[in-house]
Amino acid sequence: MKKIIAYLITLTPFTLFAQNNNAPSSKDIHDIKITGYLQTQYQKAQSNGIVSFSGGDFSQNSDSRFMIRRGRLKIDRVDEYSNIVFQLDATQNGVNLMDAFIQLHLPKVESFLLTGGLFNRPFGYSIIYSSGYRDFPERARVFQTLMPRERDLGAMISYKPHQVLKYLSADLAVINGSGLTARDYDSKKDIVANLAFDFDSLANKTMSLGFGASYYGGTVRSNTDTYFTFKDHGFVALTNSQNVGKNLKREYYGANLQFQFANPLGKTSFKTEYVEGTQPGIAASTTVNGPTASTSFNSQPASNLYLRKFNGYYFWFTHQIAKTNLTALLAYDVYDPNTEVKEAEIGKAGNNTTAGDIKYATLGYGLTYAINGRIKLTLYNEHVKNNPTQANGYQEDLKDDVFTARLQYRW
């Protein structure tokens, strides 16, 4: 928690405020409204078959691909007492349900909103920030790992004052914890809390400021009699018949900070977010790629669980060049799934560490061109870095950089 506080105090922020996924297309009362966006793209990887957080892993014998990254169709309706949102995602892999929730509000108690169904987990900034408005092609690796597909099933109460505290918003959700699936594999439920402050008009409307803090509290059920915790320089096994069915702690603390300002050279924004905590994962193996060993589960994990202390963060910098339709992009993100071990010790005989404990850093840079109000072209390159370890296949930096050329149409 001290790291979270220090992060908020010491950073100088800059950012654009999120288009909230947990909301209809507009707050005005309206009948059925259809919106959405389509993202089609070409990607070139540094080598064949890489594990990638830029739209998914590449096929075993391929280092390039065309794909539909997202094909979203959103239907919503707003009346005096309720909102309803239903969203599908159609790609070359099929059609998936993305959002399906009902929101209730009372005209005399407009500050409170009750949401039930499938919605974005209200954690931090980037999770609820719509991919149709985000300048960067993907969310940071840490959030893709902790909250894959962003959504979960549950209920949420939101508070947004309209008068004295109009800059404040708060959310408290109770969710399954298994992500975008109705198959919750235990009876425990997870809690997500978010507190945010948005000052969207400062210094004669030339500046915007936002910041917030988040908490995620939950568990993952153990399906075996053994789980691993970290001690000294490696994992130690705890074996007991009573460990079968035991719920192991899953806990995150997050902080985010944003600032945007208009200046003679254009519009500049900077977004940053930090998260740390405890993540139950599994060991990397011949069937589990290293980076996916600490991914949150949408089904009961059959393998022994590993409790890891982690942290991660990102910096997103954008600059709209003067009054043109060009925006320069620069990003840097880090995800360390095991902050208690040094990279040089990973894979060392006897310490039970695996490729699932490796730290990754990604430097991204590119350019977007807004052809008009609906069409946007993005050219973006990601340089992914991991330090050498003793784990097989990870003795040196992997060749897993990715270039993306994307065309998006939003309606």
Side-chain angles (χ1 to χ4, degrees):
M1 194 64 185
K2 291 180 179 179
K3 292 181 181 179
I4 298 291
I5 296 172
Y7 188 78
L8 282 171
I9 293 174
T10 59
L11 283 174
T12 303
F14 310 85
T15 204
L16 203 62
F17 294 97
Q19 175 71 15
N20 193 337
N21 270 339
N22 289 335
S25 55
S26 71
K27 296 181 180 178
D28 299 329
I29 293 177
H30 61 263
D31 220 335
I32 297 297
K33 188 173 183 179
I34 300 176
T35 57
Y37 58 94
L38 176 65
Q39 296 174 345
T40 179
Q41 65 188 37
Y42 170 79
Q43 290 184 305
K44 173 68 174 177
Q46 196 175 7
S47 54
N48 289 344
I50 66 167
V51 176
S52 176
F53 284 75
S54 299
D57 300 344
F58 281 71
S59 299
Q60 182 179 359
N61 299 310
S62 174
D63 66 356
S64 64
R65 63 190 179 190
F66 287 98
M67 66 185 298
I68 303 299
R69 180 61 184 97
R70 297 176 179 90
R72 300 291 170 83
L73 184 66
K74 184 176 183 179
I75 303 171
D76 61 70
R77 184 181 187 277
V78 177
D79 61 32
E80 187 178 7
Y81 300 102
S82 64
N83 311 330
I84 182 170
V85 175
F86 187 85
Q87 183 174 202
L88 297 174
D89 184 37
T91 70
Q92 66 281 341
N93 298 320
V95 179
N96 294 298
L97 179 64
M98 293 303 295
D99 294 298
F101 57 84
I102 299 171
Q103 296 179 323
L104 300 177
H105 51 83
L106 298 176
K108 295 183 179 180
V109 195
E110 295 182 357
S111 297
F112 289 93
L113 189 68
L114 178 64
T115 303
L118 177 65
F119 50 84
N120 277 78
R121 285 165 278 201
F123 188 95
Y125 178 83
S126 66
I127 288 293
I128 63 172
Y129 191 1
S130 171
S131 298
Y133 290 86
R134 189 180 61 243
D135 289 308
F136 297 88
E138 305 297 339
R139 293 175 176 86
R141 177 186 291 252
V142 58
F143 289 104
Q144 291 193 55
T145 304
L146 300 178
M147 301 181 188
R149 301 299 296 273
E150 300 88 49
R151 276 81 174 170
D152 213 318
L153 282 153
M156 175 172 64
I157 185 168
S158 302
Y159 176 62
K160 176 64 177 176
H162 294 276
Q163 301 297 328
V164 180
L165 299 176
K166 63 180 181 179
Y167 302 111
L168 165 71
S169 63
D171 302 288
L172 179 64
V174 179
I175 59 175
N176 283 341
S178 52
L180 192 63
T181 172
R183 297 180 180 180
D184 191 12
Y185 52 82
D186 63 19
S187 60
K188 301 288 186 180
K189 298 296 175 278
D190 295 355
I191 295 175
V192 191
N194 187 63
L195 184 66
F197 295 86
D198 291 338
F199 301 90
D200 58 4
S201 182
L202 298 172
N204 294 323
K205 299 183 179 181
T206 62
M207 299 173 61
S208 300
L209 173 68
F211 55 90
S214 303
Y215 173 77
Y216 187 108
T219 61
V220 174
R221 182 183 183 276
S222 173
N223 203 39
T224 69
D225 63 1
T226 300
Y227 70 91
F228 290 80
T229 61
F230 204 86
K231 184 178 180 180
D232 297 329
H233 300 287
F235 285 103
V236 294
L238 301 179
T239 302
N240 191 311
S241 60
Q242 295 182 354
N243 288 337
V244 179
K246 183 175 182 177
N247 287 83
L248 303 182
K249 183 171 68 173
R250 176 187 180 190
E251 190 171 46
Y252 315 148
Y253 297 92
N256 61 86
L257 196 58
Q258 305 95 37
F259 182 74
Q260 174 182 284
F261 65 97
N263 56 81
L265 298 178
K267 184 182 293 182
T268 303
S269 69
F270 182 85
K271 311 175 184 182
T272 182
E273 194 162 0
Y274 175 86
V275 60
E276 66 175 36
T278 301
Q279 173 75 343
I282 57 178
S285 65
T286 55
T287 57
V288 179
N289 288 318
T292 61
S294 59
T295 300
S296 296
F297 305 103
N298 60 11
S299 61
Q300 173 65 60
S303 305
N304 294 331
L305 293 179
Y306 283 64
L307 286 181
R308 296 183 174 99
K309 299 289 185 181
F310 75 90
N311 67 23
Y313 55 88
Y314 67 81
F315 300 101
W316 286 348
F317 175 87
T318 67
H319 179 72
Q320 182 182 356
I321 302 172
K323 295 183 179 181
T324 71
N325 293 336
L326 293 170
T327 300
L329 311 177
L330 181 64
Y332 183 72
D333 73 75
V334 172
Y335 176 50
D336 187 351
N338 187 348
T339 58
E340 297 179 296
V341 66
K342 296 179 179 179
E343 305 304 295
E345 296 178 339
I346 295 175
K348 185 178 180 179
N351 71 1
N352 294 313
T353 57
T354 67
D357 300 293
I358 297 175
K359 177 181 178 180
Y360 287 84
T362 303
L363 174 65
Y365 48 89
L367 195 69
T368 69
Y369 176 64
I371 299 174
N372 58 36
R374 297 185 181 275
I375 305 175
K376 181 174 69 174
L377 173 66
T378 301
L379 301 177
Y380 193 74
N381 190 67
E382 290 177 297
H383 175 61
V384 186
K385 175 73 174 179
N386 62 277
N387 290 326
T389 72
Q390 297 185 47
N392 291 333
Y394 296 86
Q395 287 92 352
E396 58 185 23
D397 182 35
L398 301 178
K399 297 183 181 301
D400 51 357
D401 296 357
V402 178
F403 169 77
T404 300
R406 173 183 293 177
L407 190 62
Q408 172 181 290
Y409 185 93
R410 192 176 70 239
W411 65 88

